[in-house]
């Protein structure tokens, strides 16, 4: 593989002072990782789910022969990312008498990562945790940056904490077992980095569509590394989303409305983000910031990675507006949205016109 096509990237650090941590990326990370090095005490609780545990739990447990390892296997699905399921983690920790020196390991996709991180943030006021993400989406986004939490029936990710892991270990080979639909959902967050701030990466994604869909290991590794670099840079600059970090939520306000509307059992998170991003792009176009050709390019790239670009047919613009009113980016009653000034140029605004928002939603919901 020519290195000009897939440039090598140095090991990654999320730079947060004394809470800085490394992201290890490679195709054999689980086979060769020195996982124990990142764990101070003897006690470990691995949190996984009923799909991922049969695939990778034994491999991870074998890396921890010098530790006392307990395991909790949760039901699989976004609809279980809630306080009831979180309580299963706390119950296991208490039953097995885990103390403040324990370390939680999240083994799974973003749902497991977000819940394990939140459990770690709150168990005995905070214990260590490590992310071992096994979906594309969790490898490029959710495992990095310390956003943890669960959903509420009234709103996505409404209960949570910023709480950073001690390390992120990404074994790209785990993606071999990932279903195609989940792979594409992860690509939505990869494309996001290109759209918000990395136009050269967006072009690279357009040019390497086939390699990525065929899961060429080098192309995949490069896409994951470049996504993590983008994320680490933004998180290091603004850990708790006081400013620039909000651009990572491109398409998410619309996407979260879709997920909440469907009670977390319809569109995948990445699919909802793809649809939401296309709505945000339409709105940016109606406001005069984004050209028609760039709008079409955005629709094309999502389609080329087999992602949906229109909301579920049963959703109306009124549904969107009602659900978006509860977004975490609402401040003093005013909704803030991530919009585009061009490809690779996202910004956050509360100064948009309500007319453009409604036009974009009417257009998306086929109400024009
Ligand atoms: P997920 O965790 O539900 O995983 C998707 C599916 O793939 C599940 O059925 C899972 O069991 C299965 N799976 C996982 N790894 C597998 C593997 N290697 N082989 C086969 N199957 C595998 O979904 P996701 O897309 O990973 O994550 C979505 C979640 O992440 C959402 O809850 C979203 O809100 C959250 N998220 C959080 C952040 C953050 O910054 N914390 C960022 C983006 C998304
Ligand atoms: N996924 C959005 C963030 O981490 O800020």
């Amino acid at each position: 593989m020519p290195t000009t096509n897939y440039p090598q990237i140095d090991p990654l650090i999320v730079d947060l002072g004394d809470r800085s941590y490394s992201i290890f990326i490679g195709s054999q990370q689980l086979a060769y990782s020195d996982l124990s090095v990142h764990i101070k005490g003897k006690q470990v609780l691995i949190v996984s789910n009923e799909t991922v545990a049969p695939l990778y739990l034994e491999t991870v447990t074998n890396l921890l022969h010098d530790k006392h390892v307990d395991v909790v296997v949760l039901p699989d699905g976004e609809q279980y990312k809630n306080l009831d399921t979180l309580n299963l983690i706390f119950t296991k920790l208490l039953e097995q008498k885990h103390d403040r020196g324990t370390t939680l390991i999240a083994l799974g996709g973003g749902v497991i990562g977000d819940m394990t991180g939140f459990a770690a943030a709150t168990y005995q006021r905070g214990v260590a945790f490590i992310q071992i993400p096994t979906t594309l989406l969790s490898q490029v986004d959710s495992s990095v940056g310390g956003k943890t939490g669960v959903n509420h029936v009234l709103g996505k990710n409404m209960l949570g904490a910023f709480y950073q892991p001690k390390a992120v270990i990404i074994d790209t080979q785990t993606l071999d077992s990932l279903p195609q639909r989940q792979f594409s959902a992860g690509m939505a967050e990869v494309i996001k980095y290109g759209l918000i701030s990395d136009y050269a990466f967006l072009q690279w994604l357009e040019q390497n569509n086939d390699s990525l869909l065929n899961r060429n290991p080098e192309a995949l590794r490069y896409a994951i590394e470049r996504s993590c670099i983008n994320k680490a840079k933004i998180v290091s600059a603004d850990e708790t989303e006081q400013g620039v970090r909000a651009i990572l939520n491109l398409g998410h306000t619309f996407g979260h409305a879709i997920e909440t509307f469907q009670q977390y059992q319809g569109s995948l998170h990445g699919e909802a983000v793809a649809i939401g991003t296309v709505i945000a792009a339409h709105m940016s176009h109606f406001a005069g910031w984004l050209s028609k050709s760039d709008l079409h390019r955005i629709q094309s790239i999502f389609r080329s990675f087999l992602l949906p670009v229109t909301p579920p047919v049963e959703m109306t613009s009124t549904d969107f507006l009602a659900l978006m009113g509860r977004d975490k980016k609402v401040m003093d009653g005013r909704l803030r949205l991530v919009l585009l000034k061009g490809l690779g140029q996202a910004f956050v605004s509360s100064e948009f016109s309500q007319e453009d928002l409604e036009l974009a939603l009417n257009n998306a919901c086929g109400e024009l």
Side-chain angles (χ1 to χ4, degrees):
M1 213 54 76
T3 49
T4 44
N5 227 1
Y6 304 106
Q8 286 299 309
I9 290 167
D10 290 336
L12 293 184
I13 309 267
V14 184
D15 186 2
L16 292 168
D18 59 1
R19 288 171 298 104
S20 297
Y21 54 95
S22 298
I23 308 171
F24 301 88
I25 305 173
S27 64
Q28 301 267 305
Q29 283 294 329
L30 288 190
Y32 299 117
S33 165
D34 205 354
L35 185 56
S36 284
V37 165
H38 308 293
I39 299 171
K40 285 216 174 101
K42 279 273 166 219
Q43 292 177 312
V44 172
L45 178 70
I46 303 177
V47 183
S48 193
N49 72 21
E50 56 207 8
T51 306
V52 179
L55 297 170
Y56 304 111
L57 180 59
E58 194 181 337
T59 312
V60 174
T61 309
N62 287 342
L63 295 170
L64 298 167
H65 46 82
D66 56 333
K67 303 292 177 191
H68 176 88
V69 180
D70 289 309
V71 174
V72 60
V73 176
L74 304 179
D76 183 7
E78 183 74 37
Q79 69 273 32
Y80 297 107
K81 186 179 157 182
N82 56 34
L83 286 175
D84 288 341
T85 313
L86 189 74
N87 210 23
L88 299 176
I89 306 178
F90 296 136
T91 302
K92 179 64 81 169
L93 286 164
L94 289 165
E95 277 174 358
Q96 300 303 320
K97 300 189 169 50
H98 281 247
D99 59 33
R100 285 179 142 175
T102 193
T103 297
L104 272 54
I105 296 180
L107 175 66
V111 169
I112 289 295
D114 281 12
M115 281 201 291
T116 307
F118 192 31
T122 46
Y123 184 67
Q124 299 194 5
R125 301 204 178 88
V127 297
F129 90 110
I130 291 172
Q131 290 271 18
I132 305 184
T134 60
T135 61
L136 179 60
L137 187 140
S138 57
Q139 295 185 353
V140 299
D141 193 352
S142 62
S143 64
V144 175
K147 275 192 183 175
T148 71
V150 295
N151 302 327
H152 187 281
V153 281
L154 295 180
K156 168 96 179 151
N157 290 339
M158 280 295 161
L159 313 166
F162 285 100
Y163 195 69
Q164 303 294 339
K166 297 291 177 203
V168 180
I169 296 169
I170 298 178
D171 186 332
T172 55
Q173 228 168 52
T174 58
L175 301 182
D176 290 352
S177 54
L178 195 66
Q180 180 57 53
R181 187 176 168 205
Q182 296 290 351
F183 182 85
S184 286
M187 280 308 305
E189 301 279 21
V190 176
I191 294 164
K192 171 184 82 180
Y193 296 111
L195 289 175
I196 60 175
S197 59
D198 191 351
Y199 178 62
F201 186 37
L202 188 74
Q203 289 175 302
W204 184 89
L205 291 170
E206 287 173 327
Q207 286 155 11
N208 289 274
N209 176 274
D210 283 348
S211 307
L212 287 164
L213 282 177
N214 292 324
R215 305 193 202 179
N216 172 294
E218 276 304 300
L220 209 45
R221 179 193 161 95
Y222 178 67
I224 293 168
E225 280 183 337
R226 183 123 176 192
S227 298
C228 287
I229 286 174
N230 273 293
K231 178 128 192 200
K233 197 163 92 187
I234 292 172
V235 168
S236 299
D238 178 21
E239 181 183 7
T240 57
E241 203 169 300
Q242 306 303 307
V244 67
R245 183 166 180 167
I247 64 170
L248 287 169
N249 296 317
L250 176 64
H252 283 57
T253 301
F254 299 104
H256 286 171
I258 295 170
E259 289 184 84
T260 307
F261 179 84
Q262 296 180 317
Q263 290 293 294
Y264 315 113
Q265 295 187 69
S267 307
L268 302 178
H269 175 71
E271 292 173 337
V273 166
I275 298 163
T277 301
V278 171
I279 299 175
H282 267 105
M283 194 175 154
S284 306
H285 173 64
F286 293 139
W289 295 313
L290 193 72
S291 70
K292 195 161 208 160
S293 64
D294 284 348
L295 170 63
H296 289 158
R297 230 170 122 183
I298 293 171
Q299 288 173 305
S300 296
I301 190 163
F302 284 123
R303 283 206 185 98
S304 74
F305 283 101
L306 314 177
L307 283 157
V309 292
T310 49
V313 283
E314 61 278 17
M315 248 185 122
T316 64
S317 54
T318 312
D319 296 324
F320 270 101
L321 289 170
L323 289 161
M324 286 164 64
R326 284 199 291 263
D327 189 81
K328 289 195 291 309
K329 281 186 297 310
V330 172
M331 254 194 217
D332 297 330
R334 192 117 178 95
L335 182 61
R336 294 182 308 141
L337 287 172
V338 187
L339 298 166
L340 292 168
K341 269 189 230 151
L343 300 178
Q345 295 177 68
F347 69 105
V348 184
S349 174
S350 56
E351 304 302 316
F352 54 83
S353 94
Q354 187 69 15
E355 203 182 316
D356 289 334
L357 171 60
E358 287 176 19
L359 195 56
L361 287 173
N362 291 338
N363 174 68
C365 298
E367 295 164 359
L368 283 181

